[in-house]
Amino acid sequence: MKTLIVQVPVLLFLINCVPTTSQSPAAAPAPPGPPNVTAILEKDGHFTVFIKLLQSTKVADNLNSQLNTSNQGLTILAPPDTAFSGLKVGMLNSFTEDQQVDLAQFHVLPYYLPQSRFQTASNPLNTEAGGSSQLLAMNVTTIGNQVNITTGETNATVSSTIYDDNELAVYQVDKVLLPLRFYVPLPPPPPSPPPPKKAAPKASPAYSGPVDSHASRRCIRWIRCCFR
């Protein structure tokens, strides 16, 4: 019995000391995916209306897709809920579906713009809604560290940086950026050119019939006789 009492602990000790070779090494963690725009805004907690605008217009899906496929990055100019509450009552709902898409896209620059480059940015800024037309223009000016944005309808200021990872920059602006195109009617399209005139058909030469040589000679003789 004494032998069994001594050997059993020794056997257990040896079993515990045997290295296990069947366990595979832990897998490396997957690399993080691109940032999610709405998740970043939700985490901050002050952009409920802007998030709903991005989602209802499907602009949020397009932005996340761009972050997955493009190397240009994105810049979001996000107005908080207090900025939307400063709009006239019912204004947001009065916009058509196309205008709501334009409004959401107007707050997005299709490239990454760090705050240090606002001072040297070329006006007008190109947005997801366009930018070549004056009615969709957005201009930026800086005074010291203050960044001001004007659209012709709205004068806003960049309040703070919400997120920046050198691929996506999210800035808070103190007002909703309203495009001038919402308030100035578009110029009428140029008139279409008139249809080309059809060329008049050429007139056929009149047919005088065959010449009677005998009659011509008699006429000539008659004329000579008259002048003798």
Side-chain angles (χ1 to χ4, degrees):
M1 294 297 293
K2 292 182 179 180
T3 303
L4 291 176
I5 292 174
V6 173
Q7 289 180 347
V8 170
V10 173
L11 180 60
L12 294 175
F13 174 79
L14 292 175
I15 291 174
N16 292 330
C17 290
V18 175
T20 58
T21 59
S22 60
Q23 295 180 351
S24 59
N36 183 287
V37 174
T38 54
I40 292 170
L41 295 173
E42 287 173 352
K43 184 178 180 179
D44 185 274
H46 296 90
F47 300 93
T48 304
V49 180
F50 188 52
I51 291 171
K52 290 181 178 179
L53 178 65
L54 294 175
Q55 292 175 336
S56 63
T57 57
K58 307 299 182 184
V59 172
D61 295 337
N62 294 335
L63 298 182
N64 292 327
S65 177
Q66 285 179 251
L67 290 172
N68 276 304
T69 58
S70 174
N71 295 324
Q72 299 298 318
L74 289 173
T75 302
I76 313 294
L77 304 172
D81 295 336
T82 53
F84 282 95
S85 64
L87 298 177
K88 293 181 180 179
V89 177
M91 175 182 287
L92 189 59
N93 292 330
S94 70
F95 294 147
T96 66
E97 291 184 2
D98 289 341
Q99 286 179 320
Q100 290 183 10
V101 171
D102 283 342
L103 181 63
Q105 292 178 332
F106 195 59
H107 288 77
V108 182
L109 311 182
Y111 48 86
Y112 169 71
L113 183 64
Q115 190 165 9
S116 60
R117 289 182 52 194
F118 274 112
Q119 294 181 347
T120 57
S122 298
N123 288 319
L125 298 181
N126 186 31
T127 72
E128 289 277 320
S132 58
S133 169
Q134 291 184 353
L135 301 183
L136 280 174
M138 178 188 295
N139 296 316
V140 59
T141 58
T142 58
I143 303 175
N145 293 326
Q146 179 175 313
V147 179
N148 301 318
I149 296 175
T150 179
T151 69
E153 180 64 28
T154 304
N155 296 319
T157 301
V158 175
S159 307
S160 60
T161 300
I162 305 300
Y163 181 88
D164 191 337
D165 66 352
N166 297 323
E167 178 185 9
L168 170 66
V170 182
Y171 302 108
Q172 177 174 319
V173 291
D174 62 348
K175 293 181 181 179
V176 179
L177 304 175
L178 299 172
L180 186 61
R181 192 171 76 180
F182 287 9
Y183 304 95
V184 177
L186 293 174
S192 56
K197 294 182 179 179
K198 294 182 178 180
K202 294 182 179 179
S204 301
Y207 177 69
S208 59
V211 178
D212 188 349
S213 58
H214 295 288
S216 297
R217 285 196 296 268
R218 286 197 300 270
C219 182
I220 292 173
R221 285 198 298 268
W222 181 81
I223 293 173
R224 288 177 179 175
C225 291
C226 291
F227 286 95
R228 284 181 180 178

